Amino acid sequence: QVQLVESGGGSVQPGGSLRLSCAASRNIGSFNYMGWHRQAPGKQRELVAVITSGGTTNYAASVKGRFTISRDDAKNTVYLHMNSLKTEDTAVYYCNGAGVWGQSWGQGTQVTVSS
């Protein structure tokens, strides 16, 4: 079983920034992809950003230009850099990844954007 542990959530004012981290229990080079999803109260979970094993990235339209997904293979960690945060970015953010073993999810970290 592959473990993913998120950190870095918190409360921030609109326009602020946060960086989320997702630490994996195995070499992230073995993942086909890793990504970040989010779920706001009363809404379905949605894909925010994904990075493939080859380094290709893709973003939801609502975060493109504000969020950046990156990876540090030496630390087995994937990051989500979030800038220009809006109140509608408030959600629980989940890390996930898939490989030959299947798919793994983290426990989630809360991000609250409020004035």
Side-chain angles (χ1 to χ4, degrees), residues 71-92:
R71 54 192 285 174
D72 185 335
D73 288 9
K75 296 182 178 179
N76 290 326
T77 300
V78 172
Y79 302 98
L80 185 67
H81 307 262
M82 305 185 294
N83 297 317
S84 302
L85 282 161
K86 304 176 181 181
T87 56
E88 52 263 43
D89 294 318
T90 295
V92 177

Side-chain angles (χ1 to χ4, degrees), residues 10-35:
S11 295
V12 64
Q13 292 186 339
S17 299
L18 282 174
R19 186 186 75 168
L20 305 183
S21 300
C22 173
S25 62
R26 66 180 289 163
N27 183 355
I28 63 173
S30 65
F31 286 74
N32 294 329
Y33 70 85
M34 293 190 74

Side-chain angles (χ1 to χ4, degrees), residues 1-4 23-27 31 97 100-106:
Q1 183 70 17
V2 177
Q3 305 290 332
L4 299 176
S25 62
R26 66 180 289 163
N27 183 355
F31 286 74
V100 294
W101 62 89
Q103 188 168 190
S104 299
W105 288 87

